[in-house]
Amino acid sequence: MSFRTAEPALKDVLEAIHKAETQLPDFQRGWVWDDRHIRSLIASLSLAYPIGAVMFLEAGGVPFKPRLFEGSPTYPEGQTPKPTKLVLDGQQRMTSMYLALRSGKPVKTRTEKGDDIFRVYFLDMKKCLDPTEDREEAVISVPPSLVVKSDFDRVIDLDLSTPEKQYQQRMFPTALLFETVGLMNWKQGFAAYHAGDVAASTFLMEFEYKIWMQFQTYKVPAIELSKDTPREAVCQVFEKVNTGGVTLTVFELMTATFATHEFDLRKDWELRSKRMVEDNQGQKKRRVLEGVDGTDLLTAVTLLASYARHTKAKQLETAAANQPQAAGDDKPKENKVPPVSCKRADVLRLELSEYTLYADKIEEGFRQAAELLAEEKIFDGRALPYTTQLIPLAAICASLAGTISQHGIKKKVLQWYWCGVFGEMYGGANETRFAMDLPDVTRWIGGGDEPRTVRDSGFAPRRLLSLQSRLAAAYKGLAALLMQKSARDFITGTPIDLNVYFDRAIDIHHIFPRAWCEKQNNLPREKWNSVVNKAPLQAETNRYIGGHAPSLYLTRIENYKAVSKEDLSEFLPSHLISESHLRSDDFHGFLRNRANQLLDLIQGSTGKVISGRDSEETVDAFGGPLGTPPESNETPDIPETPEASLAEIPVVEG
């Protein structure tokens, strides 16, 4: 057998970590437990409750690069001792125990809300010995000052800043549980503080016997893999049994797998991610790729590698089918064409040779995808409808190589992309769709049938009103399409192009301001807060618009911002805004007119006819059908607001 079971004493396990005899494989994720988890673990140890088995790997076999446990003593470069064991499973528990019970340092952890904090742990000796008390309540965490304050630091709730105060309140520091000299000094100090108090002396002995001794005799159940365990088995075991506080990603598991071939996947990804986002001068030119992680890269590589295997097998099958069949051989040929797939299991089976063969192509594919999206006015992660859709897009670009820049090919790829966005098809687990997209799109470009993502895509007119948040993919998609139309700011007249997007604060703002809408009777939030009533504008313009009726803020812009009516008549249609409805404060007419134009915009990007514009549901939602041609943008004759009264209108941010 390549493994054995053991029950080392907790104190020996922690001492081995302190001496660097036990370390971690470098691919292990960092320690992440919060303060509550640590206190709960200490409570379990004090009660001799089981905390789960730990898995060790005997060092000297699989050439994993080791690293020290967090908080353990450091060594000069090149002088760190070689470990005898590596921890494959149990890192979170082991690190928590070492930091809180043996390191002698404040523990850098976090609150349940994720805020970074430093903590020192104590045992409330009275509560520990009281069987009616919740043991977790007996584990106290305090800041490094050892003073707990409240009411903006005006009230001291607990002060353990001196040994005497610890003796008086009977609070035992967990850092002394396995520190012999420190423990003896603390016990002597306790006895001296309570000199002549027989009850206190008895209390200390009872605590030592019932609580301190639990930690000394605690056995850690362990499974130890021998150094003769095959590399592949170690990686498979690591995948199956790692039960740390955070689920390991595919990237971390593949880091372990490739490490058996002495390939540092993490370092390779760091270099690739930098090249993907930055240009040769180190400028972040492709910010849309900042959300791509190592797992995304591996998934895209697996997708391309799987498609290559599938294509090659298909070609061999076709060639075999065209070969003359031998006489008497009427047995049908077995179909051995593997399907295209990039599920988690497929990624974990990716060979290093395949990774090195396709990673460069996928890296370039991501760069091409970013440039393609920039043309579509999608510049960064905030504006990106789906990060997940980047995976098949990068694989498609990699598969098409340099031909992606050809207009006809680019047009089809973009149609597929926008069908995915407005069909809202990439919100969940998407590996199955990725596996359809790559072969479907490449066959379509070669003259085949349209991809299933294009075929299945659809957009209901009523959906426009439910697009309330910028988190929705279709919401972001519409914002990008509006910027494609060179939507111009109401005051500056500057198109929301690449330079303005990065140099100035561009965001999505209400056209009929929120403050104005909320004052209207029977104007549902669903309508005025929907994407139909929003446009990309500079933050300064939004502040100037304030909460006023459109007729007022347009007149203010003309009178005080040197923008003529003729200019506004150009700026407003660039946002698909009907000027006549805006100047007459006709929200409902504006809503139907703009919704109709937005549907035309979606229809143009997806190449799919949007049905249901005159359905009963649409008429009920918008107060009329959306199938009529856009109304005229001619400026109506509206009495001008006197300049004096305009000057009195306060600017209220909408």
Side-chain angles (χ1 to χ4, degrees), residues 581-593:
H581 291 125
L582 215 59
R583 289 193 180 275
S584 59
D585 298 331
D586 180 4
F587 178 83
H588 296 288
F590 155 82
L591 186 78
R592 288 191 296 273
N593 179 279

Side-chain angles (χ1 to χ4, degrees), residues 11 20 41 82 86 125 161 224 327 345 369 391 409 447 463 485 490 539 581 606 612-613:
K11 63 179 181 180
L41 178 63
K82 291 184 178 181
L86 298 174
M125 301 166 75
S161 58
E224 299 181 353
I391 294 173
I409 293 176
R463 177 64 174 133
K485 292 186 67 64
F490 292 179
H581 291 125
T606 61
R613 293 193 187 206

Side-chain angles (χ1 to χ4, degrees), residues 17-37:
I17 293 174
H18 193 71
K19 294 180 177 179
E21 294 169 358
T22 299
Q23 297 183 33
L24 293 164
D26 190 48
F27 56 78
Q28 278 272 34
R29 178 176 286 189
W31 178 69
V32 295
W33 268 22
D34 60 30
D35 178 59
R36 184 182 64 82
H37 277 90

Side-chain angles (χ1 to χ4, degrees), residues 414-452:
L414 287 174
Q415 183 182 351
W416 158 82
Y417 178 80
W418 287 116
C419 282
V421 170
F422 290 109
E424 298 182 282
M425 295 181 169
Y426 295 88
N430 304 291
E431 291 83 0
T432 300
R433 183 163 297 279
F434 297 167
M436 293 191 310
D437 285 335
L438 178 55
D440 278 8
V441 173
T442 51
R443 279 197 297 267
W444 186 37
I445 289 171
D449 296 334
E450 69 179 14
R452 281 162 282 187

Side-chain angles (χ1 to χ4, degrees), residues 510-521 523-524 528-529 533 547 587:
H510 293 93
I511 299 167
F512 278 74
R514 172 176 179 166
W516 182 88
C517 292
E518 289 178 333
K519 293 177 183 177
Q520 310 308 305
N521 295 325
L523 190 56
W528 63 256
N529 197 48
N533 187 38
F587 178 83

Side-chain angles (χ1 to χ4, degrees), residues 487-499:
R488 302 173 68 179
D489 187 77
F490 292 179
I491 292 178
T492 67
T494 306
I496 313 297
D497 61 8
L498 180 60
N499 292 326

